[in-house]
Structure formats: C-alpha cells, structure tokens
Amino acid sequence: MKRPSFQFYPSDWLRDTALRSCTTGARGLWIDMICFMHEGTPYGYLKVADKVILPSNLARMVGENLEVVQGWLHELAEAGVYDIDNGAIYSRRMIRDEELRQKRAEGGKLGGNPNLKVNHEVKQNTTPSSSSSSSSSKKKESATKVACPPEVSEQTWNDWLALRKSKKAAVTETVINGAIAEANKLGWTLEKFLIEWCTRGSQGLKAEWVMPKANPADIVRLTVPSKNEPDPALEKIKADEKKAAPLPDHIRQAMNALRSKA
C-alpha cells in the first residue's frame, strides 16, 4: 500500500540555492512533479504504471501549454534539480530517502535485537526532505552519464563537460536536447554551439545571447537622412519644378487681374 504522505521541510526548500535560481513557475512545476513521483512506479520516478510521463502529458496534468512546461523543465535541468533514466525524470533525493525509510522499517521489524540485525544495520543520517534537490546534500551522487553526441568531437565534449563540472551543473539528455534546439535557432551545428558555450564560460547559453542585436543607428538611417545627405522628398520637389512649363503671359495677366479685384 502506498503511503499517503512524504516528509517536507520548508527550510530545506527555501535554502536550496539551485532550486531558488529557478523561476517561480519552474519551482511550482517541481513541487507538482514531486507529488506525481510520490505516486510513481518505481517510487521517485515520473511514471504512471511503468509508463513515462512525457512533457506533453505533464503539460496536460498541470494545466499549462507545452512550450511553457518545456521551458520550466529546461530551467530545472540546468540547475541540476533532476536526472533522467531511460527517458524518465527522477528525483535522486526521493529514491535515496525511500531506500533509507525501507531499511529503517526492516530494522524495526526485527525488534531491535542486535543479533537479528546482522547485515541490516541502518546508518541514521539526518536527511532533508524529498522536496529539496540533491544539490543541498553533503554527499552528492554522480549524474547519469550521457554519451558524447556523434556530431561533437571528443575534445569539445570533454571541454564542455569540464565547464559543466566547474559550474556544478548536471549533464542530462534534457540539457543536450535544449542545446540542440538553441543551436538550430542559430543555424549552427551542436559542435559550434558547444565551442561558443565553452568560450563564454557560462553555465547556460541561449541563441538570443549570441544573435547580433540591431543597431538603433541603422534603423534611423532607413527613415531619416543624415546631415550630409540631401532629403529625397525635397530633391523630388526641386526636380518637378524644373520639369514644369512656365504659364503663358495671357494666363498670368488674367490671374493678376482676378487678384486685384478680390
């Protein structure tokens, strides 16, 4: 029978710097995901009856459009809040807490007799709640290894992995897929995108940060001539005046007569 609740420590949630670096929307999505993973099979996985909950499914479950949910998932992945195993998102912290809970329960069933608890000894470490990402834990588990994409050279891949490690950021399939999407926006290969990422030395990289920004002066030049250039409208008026034929004398005299009578 599944447990109806899990431990939640508000202070751990508020002090988790990786999680706090995400937007309010991403943090709200994460607490919903924690609740879904509490009901998941196996425990701590974003799955229902052994079926992976995909971003499109998750968007319907939380009542938000897919593009917004994918953006939040990308934020959480960049912060190293979750990992992916065979396409399923999971919480390292929830899995670790559940294993500890089961060991404690097993030790309790043996009645506390030391002779009965051989090979069942439980190390009782203070653990924060499942709601906190693993970054707040003193002992960090290594993230699921992601293979080097075939279109990326080994040197570039190793340089990028070293950068992620220095930033204490996870390397997951979600991060790689996000990088591919950003590279496509620029019309770049993934190799070129990762080289630019390493050159900048940033934790993340978006296409909009690389795209050249429009120069306001260029926009002005399209509408207003500079001081050294003639105004096209005035030049046209002057040209039209030169093309115009002068009025005949009798018409000019008639117009003058009308003006004098007015």
Side-chain angles (χ1 to χ4, degrees):
M1 186 178 69
K2 291 185 178 180
R3 292 178 290 116
S5 63
F6 57 84
Q7 288 181 319
F8 182 88
Y9 296 91
S11 60
D12 292 330
W13 175 272
L14 296 174
R15 283 199 298 262
D16 191 318
T17 55
L19 192 60
R20 303 314 295 178
S21 68
C22 299
T23 61
T24 304
R27 296 197 302 271
L29 176 65
W30 180 237
I31 192 65
D32 270 9
M33 291 168 64
I34 287 173
C35 294
F36 295 142
M37 289 186 286
H38 176 68
E39 300 292 331
T41 305
Y43 187 84
Y45 279 75
L46 195 62
K47 300 174 73 174
V48 175
D50 292 330
K51 292 185 178 180
V52 176
I53 297 177
L54 301 174
S56 56
N57 306 130
L58 185 60
R60 288 193 294 271
M61 293 168 74
V62 300
E64 187 54 84
N65 67 63
L66 178 59
E67 184 178 359
V68 172
V69 169
Q70 286 178 327
W72 289 339
L73 287 172
H74 184 67
E75 281 187 57
L76 294 169
E78 282 286 297
V81 174
Y82 66 79
D83 274 330
I84 297 180
D85 180 20
N86 292 327
I89 292 174
Y90 71 92
S91 167
R92 298 183 297 273
R93 184 16 109 2
M94 292 184 73
I95 293 173
R96 191 161 56 245
D97 285 353
E98 178 64 10
E99 290 175 351
L100 180 58
R101 187 193 69 83
Q102 291 178 359
K103 288 180 180 178
R104 287 172 175 169
E106 185 179 358
K109 291 178 181 178
L110 297 175
N113 188 330
N115 295 324
L116 296 177
K117 292 199 290 183
V118 177
N119 298 326
H120 295 280
E121 189 172 338
V122 180
K123 188 175 181 180
Q124 306 269 344
N125 288 329
T126 302
T127 58
S129 67
S130 302
S131 61
S132 175
S133 71
S134 62
S135 61
S136 62
S137 174
K138 292 182 180 178
K139 181 179 178 182
K140 296 184 179 180
E141 295 182 355
S142 58
T144 303
K145 290 185 178 180
V146 178
C148 175
E151 66 272 29
V152 178
S153 67
E154 184 178 355
Q155 180 63 54
T156 300
W157 181 249
N158 290 335
D159 289 345
W160 183 75
L161 290 179
L163 173 62
R164 297 293 291 176
K165 184 177 181 180
S166 69
K167 299 293 182 180
K168 298 181 180 179
V171 177
T172 64
E173 292 290 349
T174 300
V175 175
I176 298 301
N177 291 337
I180 293 173
E182 295 298 320
N184 290 338
K185 293 178 184 178
L186 295 167
W188 289 5
T189 63
L190 181 59
E191 166 91 7
K192 183 177 179 180
F193 187 79
L194 293 183
I195 291 175
E196 178 69 20
W197 196 334
C198 292
T199 302
R200 290 171 177 257
S202 57
Q203 180 166 332
L205 182 62
K206 291 185 177 295
E208 61 198 52
W209 301 349
V210 181
M211 290 178 180
K213 296 182 179 179
N215 186 351
D218 293 336
I219 299 175
V220 172
R221 292 190 193 100
L222 297 176
T223 56
V224 180
S226 67
K227 293 181 179 179
N228 298 326
E229 297 177 0
D231 191 316
L234 293 177
E235 290 298 309
K236 186 177 185 308
I237 292 173
K238 292 178 181 180
D240 291 341
E241 287 179 349
K242 292 179 180 180
K243 294 178 182 178
L247 292 173
D249 290 340
H250 69 280
I251 293 178
R252 187 181 298 106
Q253 292 172 359
M255 292 177 64
N256 291 335
L258 291 173
R259 291 194 187 98
S260 62
K261 291 180 181 180

